[in-house]
Amino acid sequence: MLLGIDVGGTSVKYATCDEKGHLFDKGSFKTPDTLEDMYQAIETIYKERDVDGIALSMPGAVASDEGVIYGASAIDYIHGPNIKKDLEERLQTRVELENDANCAALAEVWLGAAKDNQDCCFVVCGTGIGGAVIKDKKIHKGKHLHGGEFGYMINNFDADSLEFNFWSLDSTVAIVKGVEKELGETYDGRYIFDHANENEVFKKYVNRFYYALAVGIYNIQYSYDPEVIIIGGGISVREDMIDEINKRLDIIIDKVELARIKPVVKKCAFANDANIIGAIYHYLTISK
């Protein structure tokens, strides 16, 4: 049995997990204010459970082999220290860590929507756009640990003004901001999606979002050519999401005469448990 821990900007989720991905005794606590408080909380949970190691899902550019997290995230203090080494020395147990989006992708590869695939991409749609690239059921991190950072892809530009639009700027947050700017009122993103057919302004921004999502998916297909592209994040709870994406992909492919390969798009199988399950899979695969 292993202890899986998913560290987020506002809360830390944890569970005991077996080698088949089953989670037991789940819990959570508010993300601590300091690294020492984080270590203490993990130590307390670890000592309460009969486990053989710890698998961590963390934000940022995680160098798993080193045990160090580069880049930036909502939790400043995790960047720089050797978290793997610190916890292994403190708890006298094996500790492995991986980026949270990579963990979510690994969960899908192990037991979820991509369990029958070797090569896939995972796109996370939330406040921004993130994701992961999977090759032979393993994460492709890239030279600078930015493999799968799809949100930095430029999906629109103006050559005269030299304004460049990144994919992340067309996230669900952009819908809320666009509607607020145009109508002078603030609406919840879910409400906007739910009532898009009743309000022309809502419809315009939802349509723009799905086109941006479809364009990004199309570009991923023709740059990496994965077997399947999995969609996760807050938008994935919508029952009509895949249909809406496919409608726009059909239009794109119809307009682009030379490219006829339509991406296979699936909804993620796991929600809040994905990062823990993927962290466990990461731990198990690199321990072989």
Side-chain angles (χ1 to χ4, degrees):
M1 299 289 280
L2 297 171
L3 174 60
I5 300 176
D6 174 26
V7 177
T10 57
S11 67
V12 177
K13 298 186 285 290
Y14 58 89
T16 301
C17 187
D18 63 19
E19 294 190 1
K20 294 184 178 180
H22 300 130
L23 303 186
F24 309 92
D25 302 323
K26 294 191 289 185
S28 66
F29 57 88
K30 182 179 178 296
T31 302
D33 294 326
T34 68
L35 183 62
E36 174 55 32
D37 287 344
M38 175 72 77
Y39 285 163
Q40 183 58 57
I42 292 174
E43 180 177 356
T44 298
I45 296 166
Y46 173 75
K47 290 182 175 179
E48 292 174 347
R49 297 167 183 237
D50 183 17
V51 293
D52 300 316
I54 299 175
L56 289 166
S57 164
M58 308 285 287
V62 179
S64 300
D65 294 340
E66 297 177 47
V68 177
I69 303 174
Y70 297 100
S73 73
I75 317 172
D76 293 338
Y77 59 75
I78 66 173
H79 300 279
N82 193 312
I83 293 174
K84 173 180 168 68
K85 181 180 178 182
D86 288 349
L87 286 173
E88 286 186 337
E89 292 180 350
R90 183 168 184 147
L91 303 177
Q92 293 300 297
T93 193
R94 182 183 181 132
V95 176
E96 303 294 347
L97 63 160
E98 181 54 277
N99 166 266
D100 47 11
N102 288 346
C103 285
L106 288 173
E108 298 299 328
V109 168
W110 184 22
L111 300 168
K115 65 181 180 181
D116 296 323
N117 304 112
Q118 295 294 314
D119 301 339
C120 72
C121 288
F122 184 75
V123 178
V124 183
C125 301
T127 55
I129 306 290
V133 176
I134 303 290
K135 176 65 177 175
D136 296 327
K137 288 192 177 292
K138 296 180 181 179
I139 294 292
H140 172 73
K141 294 192 173 185
K143 173 66 176 178
H144 304 97
L145 302 177
H146 275 57
E149 291 289 354
F150 304 124
Y152 292 116
M153 292 167 50
I154 296 173
N155 65 351
N156 199 1
F157 72 96
D158 187 318
D160 295 324
S161 64
L162 293 181
E163 293 183 0
F164 300 92
N165 194 57
F166 296 99
W167 189 6
S168 276
L169 297 180
D170 285 315
S171 68
T172 52
V173 172
I175 296 176
V176 175
K177 289 182 177 179
V179 168
E180 181 179 3
K181 183 177 181 180
E182 194 156 335
L183 296 181
E185 296 183 55
T186 302
Y187 295 90
D188 176 78
R190 180 175 296 179
Y191 182 88
I192 294 172
F193 275 92
D194 288 344
H195 298 273
N197 290 329
E198 306 163 19
N199 184 300
E200 289 302 316
V201 175
F202 290 3
K203 182 185 293 186
K204 178 176 71 172
Y205 284 99
V206 168
N207 183 52
R208 184 179 298 177
F209 166 81
Y210 276 124
Y211 264 115
L213 187 54
V215 167
I217 290 169
Y218 176 92
N219 289 338
I220 291 171
Q221 184 67 48
Y222 279 90
S223 58
Y224 180 57
D225 198 21
E227 299 168 76
V228 62
I229 297 174
I230 311 298
I231 309 299
I235 192 65
S236 66
V237 303
R238 300 202 61 82
E239 294 296 328
D240 61 348
M241 177 193 68
I242 299 299
D243 287 341
E244 294 295 337
I245 293 172
N246 280 326
K247 288 177 186 177
R248 277 111 182 139
L249 284 173
D250 287 338
I251 292 172
I252 293 170
I253 291 172
D254 183 59
K255 294 289 186 180
V256 182
E257 296 181 358
L258 297 178
R260 296 300 183 190
I261 300 172
K262 182 178 178 180
V264 176
V265 185
K266 294 182 179 180
K267 178 191 292 191
C268 64
F270 302 106
N272 292 331
D273 293 336
N275 292 0
I276 292 178
I277 293 172
I280 297 296
Y281 180 73
H282 170 72
Y283 182 106
L284 294 174
T285 53
I286 66 170
S287 65
K288 292 180 180 178

